[in-house]
Amino acid sequence: MLWRILVSTDDGFPRKLLKQSMKERIAYFDNYTMAHPNLLKAANELMETIEEPAGASIVFVLGPTGVGKSTLLRRVSQKIIEAYQPKLKEDKGCIPIAGTEAAAPEIGNFDWKDFYIRSLEALKDPFIEKRKHTPFIHQVNRINPRETKLKLRLLLEETLRQRKPAAFYVDEAQNLGKVISGRKLQEQTDCIKSLSNLTGVQFVLVGTYELLLLRNLSAQLCRRSSEIHFPRYQAEADEDKQVFRNVVHTFQKHLPLEEEPELLDIWDFCYERSIGCVGILKDWLVRTLAGVFKKQGRKAKLTHQDLEHHAWSLDQCAVMLREAREGEEKLKGSTTETDFRRALGLEIQAKQKKVKAETGKKAKKQVGKPLPQRRAVGEVEDAG
């Protein structure tokens, strides 16, 4: 595996970038993505699930904040669009894949009306597209009260049928769980499952480990859903540690600076302030690059002190690490195989079989000796 090689063979950024503006150089690095192992694994699993859903209405994609879930969605979307090119020539109205972000409610319960409108905009519904060109105040007046949630829901169902996307994704999907009443939690996922069943479109819910709240709310949901874990890199695992060092080295080579910084020498500091999440590391490096350009100009150099200045504080990193670890533990689950088999009755049957095997063996018959049998009352043995 190439990722086992510590020193990357990547040539880095195009040298002509050094002649371009600082803004263009920052944009280059901001848009640069890296196909690291955890991203590739999650992307391949998601592609396979979308292509062969096997009855799954909902796919849960879980991971810590900053692991790179948005990059994952972009990568998968690109692959699906490429695969749909022949179909698009025949069906101009088809949209290969679409999605939206689940907005957190300002107060109270998740706003389904807002979700329907955002989803219709993502699917380029003509009714919504037309409204986008009207003044905002008229938009509000037209949405309320005529366009009820039911009307928008039916419109979304019809649009999904017409657009025929391979999948519809919902980013930041943990916000679906923001409801006042615990009873409403199941209603949230039931609504998504119903949309999928009625339209034949698979829904991909992408979010943090908070999504675990919605994952196992009912037996029907468990049967009609699948799960993909997009983890961070763990320093305790030698292979993960080596991969992360290579990630740092690759980023180092793509920072569009005249003098390449020695990030690999401080890879452990990079790990410490990113908790092993490539997305957090990337955001941190973008902030640092912009900072050194602003302070030093076109010939800027990036040092350990610059990284430290733009890093998240230890307290902030501790919060991110705690949430990541708690999510990882919850993902493992609390049900053991022994407890589950006992609940099924399989452990009792196994014990019964074992007891029967040990005590229920028939005694070997001795030659010339009759087997024990009950005799009738008053019967006299023939001494003959």
Side-chain angles (χ1 to χ4, degrees), residues 3 51 65 86 92 179 198 258-259 266 290 292 298 322 329 371 374:
W3 280 94
E51 290 170 356
T65 182
K92 302 295 184 182
V179 292
L198 291 169
E258 291 189 1
E259 184 177 322
I266 54 169
V292 296
R298 293 176 58 85
R322 183 178 68 249
E329 286 300 313
L371 290 172
R374 182 181 297 278

Side-chain angles (χ1 to χ4, degrees), residues 47-144:
M47 283 293 296
E48 289 173 5
T49 306
I50 291 173
E51 290 170 356
E52 299 292 339
S57 301
I58 302 176
V59 183
F60 290 94
V61 180
L62 307 159
T65 182
V67 76
K69 294 184 289 293
S70 296
T71 301
L72 169 68
L73 285 175
R74 286 197 299 270
R75 184 178 184 85
V76 170
S77 296
Q78 183 180 1
K79 295 288 184 183
I80 290 175
I81 291 169
E82 289 173 1
Y84 260 62
Q85 287 308 307
K87 185 175 181 179
L88 291 175
K89 293 178 182 178
E90 300 175 3
D91 187 354
K92 302 295 184 182
C94 174
I95 293 181
I97 185 168
T100 188
E101 181 176 315
E106 293 180 4
I107 189 171
N109 295 323
F110 179 77
D111 190 344
W112 280 100
K113 194 169 188 178
D114 175 74
F115 173 78
Y116 294 145
I117 293 172
R118 290 175 188 270
S119 299
L120 287 164
E121 287 178 347
L123 290 163
K124 301 187 185 302
D125 177 80
F127 179 73
I128 298 295
E129 288 292 305
K130 182 179 179 181
R131 184 196 296 129
K132 287 168 68 174
H133 299 290
T134 62
F136 177 75
I137 188 64
H138 295 304
Q139 291 183 36
V140 174
N141 290 337
R142 290 183 64 180
I143 290 174
N144 254 330

Side-chain angles (χ1 to χ4, degrees), residues 233-346:
Y233 289 105
Q234 305 275 355
E236 297 90 340
D238 289 339
E239 186 172 352
D240 275 16
K241 186 161 60 177
Q242 195 165 351
V243 168
F244 189 82
R245 292 175 72 179
N246 209 25
V247 167
V248 171
H249 190 247
T250 304
F251 276 147
Q252 168 182 313
K253 296 183 77 65
H254 280 270
L255 282 164
L257 298 165
E258 291 189 1
E259 184 177 322
E260 185 177 316
E262 295 296 334
L263 300 184
L264 191 56
D265 292 343
I266 54 169
W267 75 268
D268 54 338
F269 178 68
C270 294
Y271 184 91
E272 173 191 301
R273 298 304 175 94
S274 67
I275 69 166
C277 291
V278 175
I280 294 177
L281 175 62
K282 171 75 177 301
D283 291 344
W284 176 19
L285 289 173
V286 171
R287 292 198 316 180
T288 306
L289 182 64
V292 296
F293 272 144
K294 183 176 181 180
K295 185 178 179 181
Q296 303 175 33
R298 293 176 58 85
K299 296 185 181 295
K301 295 180 181 180
L302 194 153
T303 66
H304 185 180
Q305 288 72 27
D306 295 317
L307 275 176
E308 195 165 11
H309 178 71
H310 293 279
W312 282 272
S313 70
L314 284 173
D315 284 344
Q316 290 172 312
C317 292
V319 171
M320 290 189 285
L321 180 60
R322 183 178 68 249
E323 287 189 3
R325 282 184 168 174
E326 287 174 355
E328 289 159 1
E329 286 300 313
K330 288 177 182 177
L331 191 63
K332 292 177 183 177
S334 57
T335 304
T336 65
E337 185 175 357
T338 300
D339 290 340
F340 184 61
R341 288 177 65 84
R342 186 179 292 120
L344 286 171
L346 292 174

